[in-house]
Amino acid sequence: MAGANILAELGGFDGAAEVLQAWRDGMAPEPALLVSDWADRQRVLGSRGSAEPGPWRTSRTPYLREVMDALSPMHPARRVVFMKGAQVGGTECGNNWIGYVIHHAPGPMLAVQPTTELAKRFSDQRIDPLVEETPAIRQRVAPARSRDSGNRQLSKEFPGGQLVMTGANSAVGLRSMSARFLFLDEVDAYPGDVEGEGDPVALAEARARTFGWRRKTLLVSTPTIAGLSRIEREYLASDQRRYFVPCPHCGAMQWLRFERLVWERGEPDSARYLCEACDGAIGEQHKTAMLAGGEWRPTAIAADPHAIGFHISALYSPVGWFSWSQAVRDWEAAQGDDRAIKTFKNTVLGET
Ligand SMILES: [Zn+2]
């Protein structure tokens, strides 16, 4: 934005573009690259952590683009809430953000898992592959072998910053550092109170306060029980964005809900989606084009103008990951079992 102002001031001056480029190269206080663009250029998924190894493609999960881009430093959102079902690629948002910070926008970052044990697992299963498989990041984080390399299980140093991982059950861990970037993962599994010091989310966010408007917090979770769910509370306080996709028959934009799926009882493979405008039957084969033509729309006004929230269910899973037939199969299998229905609502629909 500052760049645009300077360009406007330079007006029709010959060479304005070059001056602007030089300014961008040498003096820009914030990088102009979006997190999704960074991921498309740099991120490599390895066979260890991904069912689809190879270069990251945001086009595979188009609904993640805006979530990731809200994490770019130039985006005005300070708090990004992501309430999600399983099988939508949601965890990769956080991973791409971490990669972006290490490579492109270095600063102190705190990644919080529900427990310290889970933070260790997150480090081994998510961060180590991220570092090893993406060349741009590998160059910036020292190998773990040497003792003073700055690469420990719960702390990775890189030029201009540090990534610390901790558990929401550890007050010491949450107080360990000031962090500009906070990645709060699976917040519905956090304790309500951490070692008598209060809410772990509040404790973590207090560490970011010194960064003022430059701070950024991402809260991600699959929800749990209505009324107790932290992610639902945060989402309801946000602008409550839903991903609207176009009907292949009439073009009406709508967000996908399980109630609009129909099927012959006992035959999940007959599942199809009925457009809420024209009642036309929509099949799995339409999904890819619908996702590509979709857009996030707010459905509420946020109390905090700097808080934005996204909700997405597994009904949006790209073709090949989790089908509408599978959702129906899971639903039928859960009948008569309250716990199984609850699990279905949480993990498939991403609802409490
Ligand atoms: Zn329609």
Side-chain angles (χ1 to χ4, degrees), residues 85-87 258 261 263-264 266-269 271 313-315 317 321-350:
Q87 306 282 342
F258 187 66
L261 271 185
W263 66 94
E264 270 53 81
E267 293 174 43
D269 287 337
S313 73
L315 298 181
S317 262
W321 289 13
F322 184 84
S323 64
W324 290 339
S325 302
Q326 188 61 48
V328 165
R329 205 166 285 127
D330 290 357
W331 173 252
E332 288 202 330
Q335 293 313 301
D337 180 345
D338 286 350
R339 277 183 66 94
I341 287 187
K342 177 186 166 299
T343 303
F344 178 86
K345 287 190 172 162
N346 294 163
T347 60
V348 177
L349 304 185

Coordinates of all heavy atoms in Angstrom, one line a residue, residues 85-87 258 261 263-264 266-269 271 313-315 317 321-350:
G85 N -14.0 -28.8 9.2 CA -14.1 -30.2 9.3 C -12.8 -30.9 8.9 O -11.8 -30.2 8.6
A86 N -12.7 -32.2 9.0 CA -11.5 -32.9 8.6 C -11.4 -32.9 7.1 O -12.4 -32.6 6.4 CB -11.6 -34.3 9.2
Q87 N -10.3 -33.4 6.6 CA -10.1 -33.6 5.1 C -10.3 -32.4 4.2 O -10.8 -32.5 3.1 CB -11.1 -34.7 4.7 CG -11.1 -36.0 5.4 CD -9.9 -36.8 5.0 OE1 -9.3 -36.7 4.0 NE2 -9.5 -37.8 5.9
F258 N -25.2 -30.2 4.7 CA -25.5 -31.6 4.6 C -27.0 -31.8 4.3 O -27.3 -32.8 3.6 CB -25.1 -32.2 6.0 CG -25.2 -33.7 5.9 CD1 -24.4 -34.5 5.1 CD2 -26.1 -34.4 6.7 CE1 -24.5 -35.9 5.1 CE2 -26.2 -35.8 6.7 CZ -25.4 -36.5 5.9
L261 N -28.0 -32.7 0.8 CA -27.6 -33.9 0.1 C -28.8 -34.9 0.2 O -29.5 -35.1 1.2 CB -26.4 -34.6 0.9 CG -25.0 -34.2 0.5 CD1 -24.1 -35.1 1.3 CD2 -24.7 -34.4 -1.0
W263 N -30.1 -39.0 -1.1 CA -29.6 -40.3 -1.6 C -30.7 -41.4 -1.3 O -31.6 -41.2 -0.6 CB -28.3 -40.7 -0.9 CG -28.5 -41.0 0.6 CD1 -28.7 -42.2 1.2 CD2 -28.4 -40.0 1.7 NE1 -28.8 -42.0 2.6 CE2 -28.6 -40.7 2.9 CE3 -28.2 -38.6 1.7 CZ2 -28.6 -40.1 4.1 CZ3 -28.2 -38.0 2.9 CH2 -28.4 -38.7 4.1
E264 N -30.6 -42.5 -2.1 CA -31.5 -43.6 -1.8 C -31.0 -44.3 -0.6 O -29.8 -44.6 -0.4 CB -31.4 -44.6 -3.0 CG -32.4 -44.3 -4.1 CD -32.4 -42.9 -4.7 OE1 -31.5 -42.6 -5.5 OE2 -33.2 -42.1 -4.2
G266 N -29.5 -46.5 2.1 CA -28.7 -47.7 2.0 C -27.8 -47.7 0.8 O -27.0 -48.6 0.5
E267 N -27.9 -46.6 0.0 CA -27.1 -46.5 -1.2 C -26.3 -45.2 -1.3 O -26.7 -44.3 -2.0 CB -27.9 -46.6 -2.5 CG -28.6 -48.0 -2.7 CD -29.6 -48.0 -3.9 OE1 -29.2 -47.4 -5.0 OE2 -30.7 -48.5 -3.8
P268 N -25.3 -45.1 -0.5 CA -24.5 -43.9 -0.4 C -24.0 -43.4 -1.7 O -23.9 -42.2 -2.0 CB -23.4 -44.2 0.5 CG -23.8 -45.4 1.3 CD -24.7 -46.2 0.4
D269 N -23.7 -44.3 -2.7 CA -23.2 -43.9 -3.9 C -24.2 -43.1 -4.8 O -23.8 -42.5 -5.8 CB -22.7 -45.1 -4.7 CG -21.4 -45.7 -4.1 OD1 -20.7 -44.9 -3.5 OD2 -21.1 -46.9 -4.3
A271 N -25.6 -40.5 -3.7 CA -25.6 -39.2 -3.1 C -25.5 -38.1 -4.2 O -24.6 -38.2 -5.1 CB -24.5 -39.0 -2.1
S313 N -16.8 -27.2 5.8 CA -17.0 -28.6 6.2 C -16.3 -29.5 5.2 O -15.8 -29.1 4.2 CB -18.5 -28.9 6.2 OG -19.0 -28.9 4.9
A314 N -16.3 -30.8 5.6 CA -15.7 -31.8 4.7 C -16.5 -31.9 3.4 O -16.0 -32.6 2.4 CB -15.5 -33.1 5.4
L315 N -17.6 -31.3 3.3 CA -18.4 -31.4 2.0 C -17.6 -30.7 0.9 O -17.9 -30.9 -0.3 CB -19.8 -30.8 2.2 CG -20.7 -31.5 3.2 CD1 -22.1 -30.8 3.2 CD2 -20.9 -32.9 2.9
S317 N -14.3 -31.0 0.6 CA -13.1 -31.7 0.3 C -12.9 -31.9 -1.2 O -13.9 -32.3 -1.9 CB -13.2 -33.1 0.9 OG -12.5 -33.1 2.1
W321 N -10.4 -36.9 -2.1 CA -10.1 -36.9 -0.7 C -11.2 -37.5 0.1 O -11.0 -38.4 0.9 CB -9.8 -35.5 -0.2 CG -8.5 -34.9 -0.7 CD1 -7.7 -35.4 -1.7 CD2 -7.8 -33.7 -0.2 NE1 -6.6 -34.6 -1.8 CE2 -6.6 -33.6 -1.0 CE3 -8.1 -32.8 0.8 CZ2 -5.7 -32.5 -0.8 CZ3 -7.2 -31.8 1.0 CH2 -6.0 -31.6 0.2
F322 N -12.4 -36.8 0.0 CA -13.5 -37.2 0.8 C -14.7 -36.8 0.1 O -15.0 -35.7 -0.2 CB -13.5 -36.5 2.2 CG -14.5 -36.9 3.2 CD1 -14.4 -38.0 4.0 CD2 -15.7 -36.2 3.2 CE1 -15.4 -38.4 4.8 CE2 -16.7 -36.6 4.1 CZ -16.5 -37.7 4.9
S323 N -15.5 -37.9 -0.3 CA -16.6 -37.6 -1.3 C -17.9 -37.4 -0.5 O -18.1 -37.7 0.7 CB -16.8 -38.8 -2.2 OG -17.1 -40.0 -1.5
W324 N -18.9 -36.9 -1.2 CA -20.3 -36.8 -0.6 C -20.8 -38.2 -0.3 O -21.5 -38.3 0.7 CB -21.2 -36.0 -1.6 CG -20.8 -34.6 -1.8 CD1 -20.1 -33.8 -0.9 CD2 -21.2 -33.7 -2.8 NE1 -20.0 -32.6 -1.3 CE2 -20.6 -32.4 -2.5 CE3 -21.9 -33.9 -4.0 CZ2 -20.8 -31.4 -3.4 CZ3 -22.0 -32.8 -4.9 CH2 -21.5 -31.5 -4.6
S325 N -20.5 -39.2 -1.1 CA -20.9 -40.5 -0.9 C -20.3 -41.0 0.5 O -21.0 -41.7 1.3 CB -20.4 -41.5 -2.0 OG -20.9 -41.1 -3.2
Q326 N -19.1 -40.7 0.7 CA -18.5 -41.1 2.0 C -19.1 -40.4 3.1 O -19.3 -41.0 4.2 CB -17.0 -40.7 1.9 CG -16.2 -41.3 3.1 CD -16.3 -42.8 3.2 OE1 -16.1 -43.5 2.2 NE2 -16.6 -43.4 4.4
A327 N -19.5 -39.1 3.0 CA -20.2 -38.4 4.0 C -21.5 -39.1 4.4 O -21.9 -39.3 5.5 CB -20.5 -37.0 3.6
V328 N -22.2 -39.5 3.3 CA -23.5 -40.2 3.5 C -23.2 -41.6 4.2 O -24.0 -42.0 5.1 CB -24.2 -40.4 2.2 CG1 -25.3 -41.4 2.3 CG2 -24.7 -39.1 1.7
R329 N -22.2 -42.3 3.8 CA -21.9 -43.6 4.3 C -21.6 -43.4 5.8 O -22.1 -44.2 6.7 CB -20.6 -44.1 3.6 CG -20.5 -45.6 3.7 CD -19.4 -46.1 2.7 NE -20.0 -46.1 1.3 CZ -19.4 -45.5 0.3 NH1 -18.2 -44.9 0.4 NH2 -19.9 -45.5 -0.9
D330 N -20.8 -42.4 6.2 CA -20.5 -42.1 7.6 C -21.7 -41.8 8.4 O -21.9 -42.2 9.5 CB -19.5 -41.0 7.7 CG -18.1 -41.4 7.2 OD1 -17.9 -42.5 6.8 OD2 -17.2 -40.5 7.2
W331 N -22.6 -41.0 7.8 CA -23.8 -40.6 8.4 C -24.7 -41.8 8.7 O -25.2 -42.0 9.8 CB -24.6 -39.6 7.6 CG -26.0 -39.2 8.1 CD1 -27.2 -39.6 7.5 CD2 -26.3 -38.5 9.2 NE1 -28.2 -39.1 8.3 CE2 -27.7 -38.4 9.3 CE3 -25.5 -37.8 10.2 CZ2 -28.3 -37.7 10.3 CZ3 -26.1 -37.1 11.2 CH2 -27.5 -37.1 11.3
E332 N -24.9 -42.7 7.7 CA -25.7 -43.9 7.9 C -25.1 -44.8 9.0 O -25.8 -45.4 9.8 CB -25.9 -44.7 6.6 CG -26.8 -43.9 5.6 CD -27.4 -44.8 4.5 OE1 -26.7 -45.8 4.1 OE2 -28.5 -44.5 4.1
A333 N -23.8 -44.9 9.0 CA -23.1 -45.8 9.9 C -23.3 -45.3 11.3 O -23.2 -46.0 12.3 CB -21.6 -45.9 9.6
A334 N -23.5 -44.0 11.5 CA -23.5 -43.3 12.8 C -24.9 -43.4 13.4 O -25.1 -43.2 14.6 CB -23.1 -41.9 12.7
Q335 N -25.9 -43.8 12.6 CA -27.3 -43.8 13.2 C -27.5 -44.7 14.4 O -26.9 -45.8 14.4 CB -28.3 -44.2 12.0 CG -28.3 -43.2 10.9 CD -28.5 -41.8 11.4 OE1 -29.5 -41.4 12.1 NE2 -27.5 -40.9 11.0
G336 N -28.2 -44.2 15.4 CA -28.5 -45.0 16.6 C -27.3 -44.9 17.6 O -27.4 -45.6 18.6
D337 N -26.3 -44.1 17.3 CA -25.2 -44.0 18.2 C -24.9 -42.5 18.4 O -24.3 -41.9 17.5 CB -24.0 -44.7 17.7 CG -22.8 -44.7 18.6 OD1 -22.7 -43.8 19.5 OD2 -21.8 -45.5 18.3
D338 N -25.3 -42.0 19.6 CA -25.1 -40.5 19.8 C -23.7 -40.0 19.7 O -23.4 -39.0 19.2 CB -25.7 -40.2 21.2 CG -27.2 -40.2 21.2 OD1 -27.8 -40.3 20.2 OD2 -27.8 -40.1 22.3
R339 N -22.8 -40.9 20.2 CA -21.4 -40.5 20.1 C -20.9 -40.4 18.7 O -20.2 -39.5 18.3 CB -20.5 -41.5 20.9 CG -20.4 -41.2 22.4 CD -19.5 -42.2 23.0 NE -18.1 -42.0 22.6 CZ -17.3 -41.2 23.3 NH1 -17.6 -40.6 24.4 NH2 -16.0 -41.1 22.8
A340 N -21.3 -41.4 17.9 CA -20.9 -41.4 16.5 C -21.5 -40.2 15.7 O -20.9 -39.7 14.8 CB -21.3 -42.7 15.8
I341 N -22.7 -39.9 16.1 CA -23.3 -38.7 15.4 C -22.6 -37.4 15.8 O -22.4 -36.6 15.0 CB -24.9 -38.6 15.8 CG1 -25.6 -39.8 15.0 CG2 -25.4 -37.3 15.4 CD1 -27.1 -39.8 15.1
K342 N -22.2 -37.3 17.0 CA -21.5 -36.2 17.5 C -20.1 -36.1 16.7 O -19.7 -35.0 16.3 CB -21.2 -36.3 19.0 CG -20.4 -35.2 19.6 CD -20.1 -35.5 21.1 CE -19.0 -34.6 21.6 NZ -17.7 -34.7 21.0
T343 N -19.5 -37.2 16.6 CA -18.2 -37.3 15.9 C -18.4 -36.8 14.4 O -17.6 -36.1 13.9 CB -17.6 -38.7 16.0 OG1 -17.4 -39.0 17.3 CG2 -16.2 -38.7 15.3
F344 N -19.5 -37.3 13.9 CA -19.8 -37.0 12.5 C -20.0 -35.4 12.3 O -19.4 -34.8 11.4 CB -21.1 -37.7 12.0 CG -21.5 -37.3 10.6 CD1 -21.0 -38.0 9.5 CD2 -22.4 -36.3 10.4 CE1 -21.4 -37.7 8.2 CE2 -22.8 -35.9 9.1 CZ -22.3 -36.6 8.0
K345 N -20.7 -34.9 13.2 CA -21.0 -33.4 13.2 C -19.7 -32.6 13.4 O -19.4 -31.6 12.7 CB -22.0 -33.0 14.2 CG -23.4 -33.4 13.8 CD -24.4 -32.8 14.7 CE -25.8 -33.1 14.2 NZ -26.9 -32.9 15.2
N346 N -18.8 -33.1 14.3 CA -17.6 -32.4 14.5 C -16.6 -32.5 13.4 O -16.1 -31.5 12.9 CB -16.9 -32.9 15.8 CG -17.6 -32.6 17.1 OD1 -17.4 -33.3 18.1 ND2 -18.6 -31.7 17.1
T347 N -16.4 -33.7 13.0 CA -15.3 -33.9 12.0 C -15.7 -33.8 10.6 O -14.9 -33.3 9.8 CB -14.6 -35.3 12.2 OG1 -15.6 -36.3 11.9 CG2 -14.1 -35.5 13.6
V348 N -16.9 -34.2 10.2 CA -17.3 -34.0 8.8 C -17.9 -32.6 8.6 O -17.5 -31.9 7.7 CB -18.3 -35.1 8.4 CG1 -18.8 -34.9 7.0 CG2 -17.7 -36.5 8.6
L349 N -18.8 -32.2 9.4 CA -19.5 -30.9 9.2 C -18.7 -29.8 9.8 O -19.0 -28.6 9.4 CB -20.9 -31.0 9.7 CG -21.8 -32.1 9.2 CD1 -23.2 -32.0 9.7 CD2 -21.8 -32.1 7.7
G350 N -17.8 -30.1 10.7 CA -17.1 -29.0 11.3 C -18.0 -28.1 12.2 O -17.8 -26.9 12.3

